Amino acid sequence: MAKQVKVTLIKSTIGQKPAKVATVRSLGLKKISSSVVHDDNDAIRGMIASVAHLVKVEEVK
């Protein structure tokens, strides 16, 4: 089974550059405290890294 990560939006995207807002939306996050679970791969890790100041990441077993 592939490793997975749970991504939670902890800060608002208001005032962020449009590319950062688009990255958060493409991760599937809409409101503060919303969470999604994704497979842990390089594409997702890159998206998380670009918005690391807005999200919290936890590994799911």
Side-chain angles (χ1 to χ4, degrees):
M1 183 173 160
K3 286 175 42 175
Q4 294 187 318
V5 290
K6 179 180 178 184
V7 185
T8 305
L9 186 64
I10 57 170
K11 280 190 160 184
S12 173
T13 56
I14 294 173
Q16 298 295 317
K17 294 185 178 182
K20 303 290 185 195
V21 176
T23 301
V24 169
R25 294 284 298 167
S26 63
L27 280 168
L29 301 169
K30 295 182 180 181
K31 297 181 177 183
I32 294 177
S33 298
S34 63
S35 297
V36 291
V37 175
H38 287 288
D39 288 335
D40 190 7
N41 58 41
D42 291 341
I44 296 297
R45 283 289 177 175
M47 294 167 69
I48 290 170
S50 70
V51 293
H53 57 291
L54 301 175
V55 298
K56 177 177 75 170
V57 180
E58 304 168 47
E59 291 192 12
V60 178
K61 297 185 179 181

